[in-house]
Amino acid sequence: MSITSPNPTGPIRHSHSRSNEHDQAAPDTSTDSGLLESTSGPVERELLDGLHRLASAERLLVAIDFDGTLAPEVDEPSRARALPEAREALLRLIALPATRVALVSGRAMESLEQVSNLPDEVLLVGSHGVEIRLDGPTQLTLDTVELEQVDALSEVLEGVADSIDNVWIESKPAGFALHTRLATEADSRLAHMVALDEAHSEVEGLTVREGKNVLEFSVRNTTKGEALLHLKEYVHATSVFYAGDDVTDEDGFAVLGPNDFGLKSGPGRTIAEHRVDGPREVASVLALLADFRGGDSSTASL
Protein backbone atom coordinates (compact mmCIF):
# COMPACT_ATOMS: atom_id res chain seq x y z
CA MET A 1 0.00 0.00 0.00
CA SER A 2 1.29 3.46 -0.85
CA ILE A 3 0.02 6.37 1.22
CA THR A 4 1.43 9.66 0.08
CA SER A 5 1.32 13.40 0.41
CA PRO A 6 -0.34 15.11 -2.57
CA ASN A 7 2.91 17.02 -3.29
CA PRO A 8 3.91 15.79 -6.77
CA THR A 9 7.67 16.21 -6.68
CA GLY A 10 10.60 15.98 -4.30
CA PRO A 11 10.54 14.78 -0.69
CA ILE A 12 7.23 14.62 1.13
CA ARG A 13 6.37 17.87 2.87
CA HIS A 14 3.31 18.66 4.95
CA SER A 15 1.13 21.59 3.89
CA HIS A 16 -0.95 23.42 6.49
CA SER A 17 -2.88 25.42 3.89
CA ARG A 18 -6.03 24.23 2.16
CA SER A 19 -6.13 27.21 -0.19
CA ASN A 20 -3.73 25.76 -2.79
CA GLU A 21 -4.55 22.91 -5.14
CA HIS A 22 -2.14 19.98 -5.33
CA ASP A 23 -1.19 18.42 -8.64
CA GLN A 24 -2.58 15.08 -9.76
CA ALA A 25 0.56 12.95 -9.71
CA ALA A 26 1.56 11.29 -6.46
CA PRO A 27 5.26 10.94 -5.65
CA ASP A 28 7.24 7.71 -5.67
CA THR A 29 7.59 7.09 -1.94
CA SER A 30 9.34 3.73 -2.10
CA THR A 31 12.62 5.14 -0.79
CA ASP A 32 11.42 8.26 1.01
CA SER A 33 12.72 8.70 4.54
CA GLY A 34 9.30 9.96 5.60
CA LEU A 35 7.81 6.47 5.38
CA LEU A 36 7.22 4.20 8.33
CA GLU A 37 6.48 0.50 8.25
CA SER A 38 3.20 -0.60 9.82
CA THR A 39 1.08 -3.72 9.76
CA SER A 40 -0.93 -2.07 6.98
CA GLY A 41 2.10 -1.25 4.82
CA PRO A 42 4.31 1.83 4.38
CA VAL A 43 2.72 4.93 5.87
CA GLU A 44 3.90 8.48 5.26
CA ARG A 45 5.21 9.93 8.52
CA GLU A 46 3.18 13.12 8.50
CA LEU A 47 -0.02 11.23 7.71
CA LEU A 48 0.69 8.95 10.64
CA ASP A 49 1.39 11.92 12.91
CA GLY A 50 -1.88 13.50 11.79
CA LEU A 51 -3.82 10.33 12.60
CA HIS A 52 -2.26 10.20 16.06
CA ARG A 53 -3.30 13.81 16.74
CA LEU A 54 -6.80 13.20 15.38
CA ALA A 55 -7.22 10.08 17.50
CA SER A 56 -6.89 12.15 20.67
CA ALA A 57 -9.78 14.48 19.77
CA GLU A 58 -12.34 15.03 22.51
CA ARG A 59 -15.24 14.36 20.12
CA LEU A 60 -14.47 12.97 16.66
CA LEU A 61 -16.58 12.92 13.49
CA VAL A 62 -15.43 10.42 10.84
CA ALA A 63 -17.17 11.38 7.59
CA ILE A 64 -16.55 9.55 4.32
CA ASP A 65 -17.76 9.56 0.76
CA PHE A 66 -18.98 6.16 -0.47
CA ASP A 67 -18.28 5.50 -4.16
CA GLY A 68 -14.57 5.57 -5.00
CA THR A 69 -13.63 5.99 -1.34
CA LEU A 70 -15.17 3.18 0.71
CA ALA A 71 -16.29 1.21 -2.34
CA PRO A 72 -14.50 0.67 -5.67
CA GLU A 73 -16.30 2.25 -8.62
CA VAL A 74 -18.53 -0.13 -10.58
CA ASP A 75 -20.57 0.20 -13.78
CA GLU A 76 -23.84 -0.60 -11.99
CA PRO A 77 -24.21 1.68 -8.93
CA SER A 78 -26.61 -0.74 -7.23
CA ARG A 79 -23.82 -3.36 -7.08
CA ALA A 80 -21.34 -1.13 -5.22
CA ARG A 81 -20.32 -2.26 -1.75
CA ALA A 82 -17.74 -1.04 0.74
CA LEU A 83 -14.63 -3.18 0.90
CA PRO A 84 -14.91 -5.67 3.80
CA GLU A 85 -11.83 -4.21 5.50
CA ALA A 86 -13.28 -0.69 5.22
CA ARG A 87 -16.59 -1.78 6.72
CA GLU A 88 -14.78 -3.58 9.55
CA ALA A 89 -12.77 -0.44 10.35
CA LEU A 90 -15.94 1.68 10.40
CA LEU A 91 -17.65 -0.76 12.75
CA ARG A 92 -14.68 -0.50 15.10
CA LEU A 93 -14.88 3.30 15.00
CA ILE A 94 -18.64 3.25 15.61
CA ALA A 95 -18.06 1.23 18.79
CA LEU A 96 -15.63 3.78 20.25
CA PRO A 97 -16.79 6.45 22.73
CA ALA A 98 -17.18 10.08 21.61
CA THR A 99 -16.89 9.00 17.97
CA ARG A 100 -19.56 9.35 15.29
CA VAL A 101 -19.40 7.99 11.74
CA ALA A 102 -21.17 9.52 8.74
CA LEU A 103 -21.43 8.78 5.03
CA VAL A 104 -21.56 11.87 2.82
CA SER A 105 -22.60 10.94 -0.70
CA GLY A 106 -24.01 12.27 -3.93
CA ARG A 107 -26.29 9.23 -4.07
CA ALA A 108 -29.97 9.58 -3.31
CA MET A 109 -30.69 8.55 0.27
CA GLU A 110 -32.63 5.43 -0.74
CA SER A 111 -29.70 4.23 -2.84
CA LEU A 112 -27.17 5.04 -0.12
CA GLU A 113 -29.16 3.11 2.49
CA GLN A 114 -29.31 0.09 0.18
CA VAL A 115 -25.60 -0.13 -0.55
CA SER A 116 -24.03 1.08 2.71
CA ASN A 117 -24.94 -1.92 4.91
CA LEU A 118 -24.06 -0.14 8.16
CA PRO A 119 -25.87 0.20 11.51
CA ASP A 120 -28.59 2.81 11.95
CA GLU A 121 -26.41 4.93 14.22
CA VAL A 122 -24.32 5.91 11.17
CA LEU A 123 -25.38 9.37 10.02
CA LEU A 124 -26.20 9.60 6.31
CA VAL A 125 -26.06 12.51 3.87
CA GLY A 126 -27.50 11.91 0.41
CA SER A 127 -27.79 14.00 -2.76
CA HIS A 128 -24.85 16.22 -1.75
CA GLY A 129 -26.65 17.40 1.38
CA VAL A 130 -30.21 17.71 0.08
CA GLU A 131 -31.16 14.65 2.17
CA ILE A 132 -29.88 14.14 5.71
CA ARG A 133 -30.60 11.24 8.06
CA LEU A 134 -29.47 12.03 11.57
CA ASP A 135 -30.81 10.11 14.56
CA GLY A 136 -34.26 9.89 13.02
CA PRO A 137 -36.09 9.97 9.67
CA THR A 138 -34.55 11.49 6.55
CA GLN A 139 -35.15 15.23 6.34
CA LEU A 140 -36.28 16.61 2.96
CA THR A 141 -39.05 18.97 1.94
CA LEU A 142 -39.48 20.42 -1.57
CA ASP A 143 -41.96 23.23 -2.15
CA THR A 144 -44.44 23.37 -5.03
CA VAL A 145 -42.14 25.37 -7.31
CA GLU A 146 -39.25 22.96 -6.74
CA LEU A 147 -41.47 19.97 -7.50
CA GLU A 148 -42.53 21.58 -10.78
CA GLN A 149 -38.88 22.21 -11.63
CA VAL A 150 -38.04 18.55 -10.97
CA ASP A 151 -40.78 17.50 -13.39
CA ALA A 152 -39.49 19.84 -16.11
CA LEU A 153 -35.93 18.65 -15.56
CA SER A 154 -37.03 15.03 -15.80
CA GLU A 155 -38.56 15.60 -19.24
CA VAL A 156 -35.40 17.27 -20.55
CA LEU A 157 -32.92 14.69 -19.26
CA GLU A 158 -35.02 11.69 -20.24
CA GLY A 159 -35.01 13.05 -23.79
CA VAL A 160 -31.21 13.28 -23.75
CA ALA A 161 -30.76 9.77 -22.33
CA ASP A 162 -33.20 8.27 -24.84
CA SER A 163 -31.40 9.83 -27.80
CA ILE A 164 -27.77 8.87 -26.98
CA ASP A 165 -26.44 5.32 -26.52
CA ASN A 166 -25.34 4.18 -23.05
CA VAL A 167 -26.45 7.38 -21.33
CA TRP A 168 -28.91 7.03 -18.47
CA ILE A 169 -30.38 9.13 -15.68
CA GLU A 170 -30.59 8.45 -11.97
CA SER A 171 -33.55 9.98 -10.17
CA LYS A 172 -32.90 11.96 -7.00
CA PRO A 173 -35.36 13.75 -4.72
CA ALA A 174 -34.25 17.23 -5.82
CA GLY A 175 -33.02 16.45 -9.32
CA PHE A 176 -31.22 13.92 -11.48
CA ALA A 177 -27.78 12.58 -12.32
CA LEU A 178 -26.92 12.05 -15.99
CA HIS A 179 -24.50 9.11 -16.18
CA THR A 180 -22.13 8.69 -19.14
CA ARG A 181 -19.66 6.14 -17.71
CA LEU A 182 -20.52 3.53 -20.37
CA ALA A 183 -20.83 5.96 -23.31
CA THR A 184 -18.10 6.78 -25.83
CA GLU A 185 -16.10 9.95 -25.21
CA ALA A 186 -17.84 11.68 -28.13
CA ASP A 187 -21.32 10.67 -26.94
CA SER A 188 -20.46 11.71 -23.40
CA ARG A 189 -19.45 15.21 -24.55
CA LEU A 190 -22.59 15.48 -26.67
CA ALA A 191 -24.84 14.38 -23.81
CA HIS A 192 -23.28 16.91 -21.44
CA MET A 193 -23.55 19.74 -23.95
CA VAL A 194 -27.18 19.09 -24.87
CA ALA A 195 -28.26 18.44 -21.28
CA LEU A 196 -26.67 21.63 -19.98
CA ASP A 197 -28.14 23.77 -22.75
CA GLU A 198 -31.68 22.42 -22.53
CA ALA A 199 -31.81 22.15 -18.74
CA HIS A 200 -30.72 25.75 -18.20
CA SER A 201 -33.27 26.94 -20.76
CA GLU A 202 -36.11 25.13 -18.97
CA VAL A 203 -35.24 25.57 -15.28
CA GLU A 204 -34.09 28.82 -13.65
CA GLY A 205 -31.60 28.79 -10.80
CA LEU A 206 -30.51 25.23 -11.51
CA THR A 207 -27.47 23.86 -9.65
CA VAL A 208 -25.16 21.72 -11.79
CA ARG A 209 -22.23 19.64 -10.54
CA GLU A 210 -19.79 17.77 -12.74
CA GLY A 211 -18.26 14.59 -11.34
CA LYS A 212 -16.57 11.48 -12.70
CA ASN A 213 -18.58 10.50 -15.81
CA VAL A 214 -21.66 12.17 -14.36
CA LEU A 215 -23.45 15.49 -14.58
CA GLU A 216 -25.75 16.25 -11.66
CA PHE A 217 -28.69 18.64 -11.78
CA SER A 218 -30.46 19.85 -8.65
CA VAL A 219 -33.19 22.38 -7.93
CA ARG A 220 -31.78 22.74 -4.41
CA ASN A 221 -28.35 24.32 -3.97
CA THR A 222 -26.41 22.43 -1.30
CA THR A 223 -22.84 21.11 -1.09
CA LYS A 224 -20.99 18.41 0.79
CA GLY A 225 -19.17 21.18 2.62
CA GLU A 226 -22.42 22.58 4.00
CA ALA A 227 -23.51 19.08 4.96
CA LEU A 228 -20.22 18.43 6.74
CA LEU A 229 -20.53 21.61 8.78
CA HIS A 230 -24.09 20.62 9.71
CA LEU A 231 -22.90 17.19 10.87
CA LYS A 232 -20.03 18.70 12.85
CA GLU A 233 -22.41 21.01 14.68
CA TYR A 234 -24.95 18.24 15.27
CA VAL A 235 -22.46 15.87 16.96
CA HIS A 236 -20.48 18.70 18.62
CA ALA A 237 -17.27 17.39 17.05
CA THR A 238 -13.99 19.01 18.03
CA SER A 239 -12.21 17.36 15.07
CA VAL A 240 -13.30 15.93 11.72
CA PHE A 241 -11.86 13.25 9.46
CA TYR A 242 -13.12 13.59 5.89
CA ALA A 243 -12.25 11.37 2.91
CA GLY A 244 -13.50 11.57 -0.66
CA ASP A 245 -12.49 10.96 -4.26
CA ASP A 246 -14.54 13.25 -6.49
CA VAL A 247 -14.65 16.90 -7.50
CA THR A 248 -17.67 17.45 -5.25
CA ASP A 249 -15.64 16.30 -2.23
CA GLU A 250 -13.45 19.38 -2.58
CA ASP A 251 -16.33 21.34 -0.99
CA GLY A 252 -15.90 19.09 2.04
CA PHE A 253 -12.13 19.56 2.18
CA ALA A 254 -12.59 23.33 1.89
CA VAL A 255 -14.45 23.63 5.21
CA LEU A 256 -11.96 21.61 7.27
CA GLY A 257 -10.11 23.47 10.01
CA PRO A 258 -6.66 23.15 11.61
CA ASN A 259 -7.79 20.33 13.92
CA ASP A 260 -9.28 18.30 11.07
CA PHE A 261 -7.91 15.76 8.58
CA GLY A 262 -8.60 15.63 4.83
CA LEU A 263 -7.85 12.52 2.75
CA LYS A 264 -8.11 12.37 -1.05
CA SER A 265 -8.77 8.93 -2.55
CA GLY A 266 -7.24 8.41 -5.99
CA PRO A 267 -5.95 10.83 -8.64
CA GLY A 268 -7.09 14.34 -9.44
CA ARG A 269 -6.35 17.85 -8.23
CA THR A 270 -7.22 18.43 -4.58
CA ILE A 271 -6.86 20.75 -1.61
CA ALA A 272 -6.80 17.81 0.81
CA GLU A 273 -3.61 17.53 2.84
CA HIS A 274 -3.19 13.81 2.25
CA ARG A 275 -3.75 11.38 -0.61
CA VAL A 276 -3.97 7.60 -0.99
CA ASP A 277 -4.27 5.45 -4.08
CA GLY A 278 -7.87 4.29 -3.60
CA PRO A 279 -10.45 2.49 -1.43
CA ARG A 280 -8.11 -0.26 -0.24
CA GLU A 281 -5.70 2.33 1.14
CA VAL A 282 -8.56 4.35 2.63
CA ALA A 283 -9.57 1.20 4.51
CA SER A 284 -6.03 0.89 5.91
CA VAL A 285 -6.07 4.50 7.09
CA LEU A 286 -9.43 3.96 8.81
CA ALA A 287 -8.06 0.83 10.48
CA LEU A 288 -5.07 2.79 11.81
CA LEU A 289 -7.35 5.55 13.08
CA ALA A 290 -9.46 2.94 14.89
CA ASP A 291 -6.29 1.44 16.39
CA PHE A 292 -4.99 4.79 17.64
CA ARG A 293 -8.33 6.01 18.97
CA GLY A 294 -8.86 2.68 20.68
CA GLY A 295 -5.52 2.99 22.43
CA ASP A 296 -3.49 0.53 20.32
CA SER A 297 -0.41 2.24 18.94
CA SER A 298 1.48 -0.99 18.24
CA THR A 299 0.52 -1.04 14.54
CA ALA A 300 3.05 1.69 13.76
CA SER A 301 5.77 3.41 15.73
CA LEU A 302 7.26 6.89 15.51
Side-chain angles (χ1 to χ4, degrees):
M1 178 188 71
S2 177
I3 297 180
T4 65
S5 163
N7 186 16
T9 59
I12 294 173
R13 297 184 177 88
H14 185 65
S15 171
H16 293 282
S17 173
R18 292 183 172 85
S19 61
N20 297 324
E21 289 188 341
H22 301 291
D23 290 338
Q24 176 172 343
D28 178 4
T29 59
S30 58
T31 59
D32 193 277
S33 60
L35 295 180
L36 297 177
E37 199 67 29
S38 77
T39 56
S40 299
V43 180
E44 186 244 315
R45 181 182 296 275
E46 289 170 353
L47 185 149
L48 194 60
D49 289 345
L51 288 178
H52 270 294
R53 288 192 296 270
L54 193 71
S56 65
E58 182 180 356
R59 290 180 300 276
L60 177 63
L61 170 64
V62 180
I64 315 136
D65 176 42
F66 188 77
D67 296 284
T69 306
L70 283 180
E73 292 185 347
V74 294
D75 291 337
E76 297 182 39
S78 63
R79 298 175 66 88
R81 294 293 184 273
L83 292 175
E85 55 267 41
R87 183 175 184 274
E88 180 183 355
L90 289 182
L91 292 176
R92 291 171 56 206
L93 286 164
I94 291 168
L96 294 173
T99 306
R100 293 301 302 266
V101 171
L103 300 187
V104 181
S105 176
R107 283 177 178 259
M109 182 64 71
E110 183 179 1
S111 172
L112 183 59
E113 289 175 338
Q114 289 174 350
V115 300
S116 59
N117 190 28
L118 288 169
D120 289 342
E121 56 262 41
V122 172
L123 308 173
L124 297 181
V125 172
S127 303
H128 302 282
V130 173
E131 301 174 281
I132 299 180
R133 191 192 79 185
L134 300 175
D135 295 308
T138 299
Q139 302 171 9
L140 171 67
T141 303
L142 296 183
D143 60 33
T144 301
V145 172
E146 289 173 324
L147 290 172
E148 291 175 350
Q149 290 177 322
V150 169
D151 288 340
L153 188 58
S154 173
E155 185 174 348
V156 168
L157 296 181
E158 284 177 0
V160 174
D162 289 343
S163 64
I164 302 176
D165 290 340
N166 295 316
V167 174
W168 59 281
I169 63 171
E170 174 191 0
S171 178
K172 299 190 176 185
F176 300 89
L178 184 77
H179 291 272
T180 59
R181 180 180 177 86
L182 302 179
T184 65
E185 184 176 347
D187 282 347
S188 178
R189 287 199 302 269
L190 177 62
H192 283 213
M193 180 180 66
V194 174
L196 284 169
D197 181 60
E198 296 189 4
H200 280 301
S201 68
E202 292 293 329
V203 182
E204 293 184 4
L206 192 62
T207 297
V208 181
R209 301 181 184 87
E210 185 171 4
K212 293 180 179 178
N213 304 302
V214 63
L215 203 59
E216 302 208 22
F217 299 84
S218 178
V219 301
R220 181 76 62 86
N221 183 16
T222 58
T223 70
K224 289 185 176 182
E226 292 169 326
L228 195 59
L229 290 176
H230 184 70
L231 290 173
K232 182 178 182 179
E233 180 180 1
Y234 177 75
V235 303
H236 305 291
T238 56
S239 293
V240 176
F241 172 98
Y242 185 67
D245 75 303
D246 210 343
V247 176
T248 57
D249 292 302
E250 296 302 310
D251 293 324
F253 297 135
V255 302
L256 296 179
N259 296 324
D260 303 328
F261 188 104
L263 183 69
K264 168 76 170 179
S265 173
R269 297 182 68 84
T270 187
I271 57 173
E273 291 185 277
H274 302 283
R275 181 196 301 277
V276 294
D277 291 341
R280 195 164 302 280
E281 289 74 24
V282 171
S284 294
V285 171
L286 291 172
L288 286 172
L289 179 58
D291 286 342
F292 297 160
R293 188 144 178 88
D296 180 6
S297 60
S298 63
T299 55
S301 58
L302 293 176

